[in-house]
């Protein structure tokens, strides 16, 4: 979230914090000094927007006074924001023993014997069909489901960059092609495009060193938060998740042709007081 604030208040021209922001006619904002570096229309005095075809004349350019105040406030609060959004070690006491539910797995997924690892195989598994199973989309649910309380689990993504994970309604559609969207009961983030599956999607700034994701579900408060376990940084939080229905952990690994390291593994619960093992190697 702090990263998203920084993105909003960064000048797209000089890529630093906006200084004396100015708006073009189309709404494009940049620093006052950066206006001088913008291209001008051929044979005229109008400024060309770097991101759209609209031309701005001198009388169209206006100061972004409120935006400037926002930038100053965010710069002032940035240290506090970073601290607040760090993963609180106290959530480790809510660790849940989560395993994969084979009865829900798409038949192209391979589930380990300990029910903790999943990857996409090259052949169909000999599993009986059923209404519980995802019959088209490559995903699987976790057990147990949660209808109240706070619960935390971690997922090791290894070197994979092609995955989605989070929670979904127990009654979410499992037949045919599945659209991962919070509007449809799927509260997930993905490494495929570094997005949170809101409507519309929310772009995320995900570290390339992300190897393990921490998921903290607070059913009673209606939130699910995602953390980079390696450095404790906050990735994204969904809020206002409706109460009254059981939520299930959700996992979607990589397609075999897209990612040769597409194994997702649910990390086992460690003994109380033990820290999560370091996963970043540099």
């Amino acid at each position: 979230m702090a990263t998203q604030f920084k993105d909003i208040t960064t000048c797209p021209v000089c890529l630093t914090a906006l200084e004396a922001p100015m708006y073009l006619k189309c709404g494009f904002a940049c620093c006052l000094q950066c206006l001088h570096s913008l291209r001008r229309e051929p044979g005229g005095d109008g400024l060309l927007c770097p991101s759209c075809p609209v031309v701005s004349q001198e009388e169209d350019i206006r100061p972004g006074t409120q935006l400037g105040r926002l930038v100053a406030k965010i710069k002032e609060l940035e240290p506090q924001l970073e601290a607040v959004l760090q993963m609180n070690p106290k959530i480790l006491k809510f660790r849940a023993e989560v395993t994969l539910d084979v009865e829900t797995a798409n038949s192209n997924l391979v589930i380990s014997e300990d029910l903790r690892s999943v990857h996409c195989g090259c052949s169909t598994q000999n599993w009986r069909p059923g209404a519980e199973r995802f019959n088209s989309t490559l995903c699987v649910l976790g057990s147990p489901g949660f209808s109240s309380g706070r619960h935390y689990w971690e997922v090791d993504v290894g070197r994979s960059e092609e995955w989605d994970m989070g929670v979904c309604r127990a009654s979410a559609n499992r037949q045919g092609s599945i659209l991962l969207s919070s509007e449809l009961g799927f509260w997930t983030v993905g490494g495929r495009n570094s997005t949170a599956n809101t409507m519309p999607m929310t772009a995320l700034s995900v570290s390339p060193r992300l190897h393990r994701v921490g998921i903290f579900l607070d059913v009673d408060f209606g939130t699910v938060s995602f953390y980079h376990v390696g450095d404790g940084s906050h990735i994204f939080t969904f809020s206002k998740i409706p109460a009254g229905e059981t939520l299930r952990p959700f996992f979607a690994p990589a397609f075999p042709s897209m990612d040769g390291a597409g194994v997702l593994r649910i990390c086992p619960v460690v003994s109380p007081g033990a820290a999560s093992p370091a996963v970043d190697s540099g």
Side-chain angles (χ1 to χ4, degrees):
M1 187 178 295
T3 302
Q4 291 170 324
F5 276 131
K6 183 176 285 188
D7 290 343
I8 293 171
T9 57
T10 295
C11 173
V13 178
C14 64
L15 302 181
T16 61
L18 284 162
E19 292 286 346
M22 303 293 290
Y23 284 113
L24 300 186
K25 182 178 182 180
C26 59
F28 178 88
C30 66
C31 301
L32 175 61
Q33 288 287 3
C34 293
L35 281 177
H36 304 303
S37 66
L38 299 183
R39 294 171 53 202
R40 294 188 176 273
E41 62 176 336
D45 296 326
L47 290 177
L48 298 176
C49 174
S51 60
C52 79
V54 175
V55 177
S56 299
Q57 303 299 328
E58 184 177 350
E59 60 270 20
D60 298 321
I61 300 171
R62 63 191 191 281
T65 307
Q66 290 185 333
L67 179 58
R69 293 192 188 116
L70 176 62
V71 173
K73 194 64 178 178
I74 288 177
K75 289 172 69 175
E76 176 187 339
L77 295 176
E78 188 173 351
Q80 295 96 310
L81 283 171
E82 295 287 355
V84 167
L85 292 173
Q86 285 293 111
M87 188 173 88
N88 189 334
K90 292 182 179 179
I91 69 176
L92 296 177
K93 70 180 181 180
F94 299 107
R95 275 187 176 271
E97 190 71 69
V98 174
T99 56
L100 299 167
D101 182 357
V102 176
E103 297 301 316
T104 67
N106 179 276
S107 58
N108 287 297
L109 297 182
V110 179
I111 308 294
S112 63
E113 289 187 9
D114 66 358
L115 303 180
R116 292 189 183 279
S117 295
V118 57
H119 69 274
C120 187
C122 297
S123 58
T124 302
Q125 307 301 304
N126 188 25
W127 291 334
R128 68 175 186 270
E132 296 290 302
R133 192 177 305 286
F134 288 93
N135 69 352
S136 178
T137 305
L138 298 173
C139 49
V140 59
L141 300 185
S143 290
F146 304 111
S147 56
S148 63
R150 300 173 182 175
H151 313 276
Y152 175 77
W153 62 98
E154 294 177 357
V155 183
D156 194 334
V157 302
R159 294 181 293 110
S160 178
E161 297 179 354
E162 301 289 336
W163 48 264
D164 291 279
M165 68 180 73
V167 298
C168 71
R169 288 198 304 251
S171 64
N173 179 40
R174 305 180 197 181
Q175 307 303 303
S177 180
I178 303 297
L179 174 63
L180 298 182
S181 167
S182 55
E183 297 286 310
L184 301 176
F186 293 89
W187 295 273
T188 62
V189 298
R192 302 177 197 276
N193 299 303
S194 295
T195 57
N197 293 315
T198 53
M199 186 64 75
M201 287 189 173
T202 300
L204 303 177
S205 297
V206 179
S207 167
R209 298 174 60 191
L210 176 64
H211 302 304
R212 184 176 293 189
V213 179
I215 302 173
F216 180 54
L217 171 65
D218 189 330
V219 181
D220 301 326
F221 203 58
T223 61
V224 60
S225 297
F226 301 83
Y227 296 94
H228 183 326
V229 175
D231 61 16
S233 60
H234 175 261
I235 298 174
F236 190 77
T237 292
F238 288 93
S239 59
K240 299 181 181 179
I241 298 176
E245 186 172 343
T246 299
L247 299 174
R248 301 281 301 272
F250 176 92
F251 309 89
F255 293 94
S257 60
M258 295 179 65
D259 194 332
V263 178
L264 298 182
R265 178 166 179 79
I266 304 169
C267 303
V269 173
V270 296
S271 58
S276 296
V279 292
D280 282 341
S281 56

